[in-house]
Amino acid sequence: MPEPFKIPIEFAEEKIEPVPIKTESASEKISEDIYLATALENLAKISRTAAGTIDVSSSNEKSGQMRQDRSQEDIAKQARENFMATNQYLFSERARRFTSVDELREFVEGVARKINNGITKEGVLFRQHDSTKYPYTLSGELALSMQEFYETLFRKMDDPSSSPEELAAWIEYRMNLTDHFFADGCGKTSMAMANFTLMRSGHSLPTYPSRKELFEHAPKNRRLADSEDLQFNDWLAYYKSFFETKKEEASSGE
């Protein structure tokens, strides 16, 4: 029996070796340990908070929503533990089906709270500031954008013809790169929810590039309606490339 998955203590200093993963067409199921190891590997590449950097440069107001009574090392450790515990929870919930938009919304926002536990101030969840650095949806328009997001997500998750890769890309695009719903942890929350949609279908997780490379391909303008948003098509093509290495490895091993 394999050893249970353990979170490395010295995350920022430890080199994490890539984990070979089978694609969704493989006959063997992907184990929880492989999902968690890949999620941790991706977190190491993308998250500044988990690496010990608390960045509030997106707006002047963000710093006021973060806890000030903990060291960066403590917050980094908390961020890693929160992320891995959340992914473990999502793996256990991967067979769950939602009966309403409200139920799905409560679930997603519960994930965001798990991600931000001990990092943001008590009671802080939603973004209430505008960014001068990124093309996020204006804070005054977030309520409508969030409702539309959850309604669309509910339809997509209930559609058996939905592509897991496309749905995961759309979640990351909306939750993090464009709407940026939450005061902090949007990257980790969107990654966790994208992982959830992939785990639900038994699909492998992507292999992320560096944070720098990812944001070079992020949208440069505020999001339009989905039917008019050509930026998403560019992002989708780029996101799908995250899976190509695993598909090539699986093909070469057949």
Side-chain angles (χ1 to χ4, degrees):
M1 181 177 295
E3 291 293 321
F5 185 85
K6 296 181 180 179
I7 301 171
I9 296 175
E10 299 300 330
F11 176 94
E13 299 177 0
E14 182 171 327
K15 181 179 179 181
I16 301 171
E17 296 298 328
V19 179
I21 291 187
K22 298 180 184 296
T23 65
E24 62 180 330
S25 61
S27 58
E28 295 182 23
K29 293 182 179 179
I30 302 171
S31 71
E32 179 181 13
D33 283 357
I34 290 179
Y35 273 130
L36 294 177
T38 308
L40 182 61
E41 178 189 341
N42 287 331
L43 182 71
K45 296 175 182 177
I46 299 299
S47 176
R48 294 166 299 185
T49 306
T53 299
I54 311 302
D55 185 3
V56 295
S57 63
S58 62
S59 75
N60 295 327
E61 293 85 357
K62 182 173 179 178
S63 61
Q65 297 179 308
M66 309 294 290
R67 287 187 56 168
Q68 306 294 326
D69 59 342
R70 304 186 67 183
S71 68
Q72 288 197 351
E73 291 78 10
D74 284 346
I75 288 181
K77 183 174 183 290
Q78 182 81 64
R80 298 191 296 270
E81 291 177 349
N82 288 355
F83 183 75
M84 296 312 296
T86 300
N87 276 272
Q88 287 176 309
Y89 164 72
L90 292 173
F91 181 83
S92 72
E93 291 286 310
R94 67 193 184 283
R96 180 169 178 170
R97 294 297 180 265
F98 300 93
T99 59
S100 69
V101 174
D102 288 343
E103 181 189 358
L104 175 59
R105 179 169 187 159
E106 183 178 356
F107 180 83
V108 174
E109 291 175 2
V111 168
R113 289 186 175 91
K114 292 177 188 294
I115 290 289
N116 286 329
N117 180 45
I119 298 173
T120 54
K121 290 181 177 179
E122 190 71 25
V124 170
L125 181 62
F126 303 112
R127 177 170 63 87
Q128 298 178 341
H129 54 271
D130 290 324
S131 175
T132 57
K133 187 175 181 180
Y134 300 109
Y136 299 152
T137 298
L138 296 174
S139 58
E141 300 172 1
L142 270 185
L144 286 175
S145 292
M146 290 177 73
Q147 184 61 29
E148 182 271 330
F149 167 79
Y150 288 118
E151 290 172 356
T152 305
L153 179 61
F154 180 75
R155 290 196 302 272
K156 288 177 178 288
M157 291 183 70
D158 197 44
D159 181 357
S161 67
S162 289
S163 159
E165 291 182 11
E166 185 167 341
L167 180 54
W170 182 81
I171 287 171
E172 295 236 33
Y173 182 78
R174 290 292 303 269
M175 290 186 71
N176 183 29
L177 299 177
T178 56
D179 289 312
H180 208 79
F181 295 133
F182 305 112
D184 192 60
C186 279
K188 295 187 291 295
T189 302
S190 66
M191 189 189 301
M193 283 305 304
N195 290 349
F196 177 61
T197 65
L198 294 165
M199 290 188 290
R200 288 172 89 234
S201 62
H203 198 295
S204 61
L205 302 189
T207 298
Y208 280 69
S210 67
R211 178 183 176 85
K212 180 177 182 295
E213 180 186 323
L214 186 146
F215 274 89
E216 287 173 352
H217 290 81
K220 304 299 187 292
N221 301 299
R222 286 201 175 97
R223 182 184 63 81
L224 302 173
D226 284 353
S227 60
E228 303 171 0
D229 196 355
L230 298 179
Q231 292 184 117
F232 174 68
N233 294 334
D234 294 337
W235 165 253
L236 175 60
Y238 176 60
Y239 185 85
K240 284 186 172 182
S241 73
F242 300 173
F243 297 90
E244 291 306 313
T245 300
K246 289 188 173 70
K247 290 176 181 176
E248 290 169 3
E249 289 174 352
S251 297
S252 64
E254 291 178 353

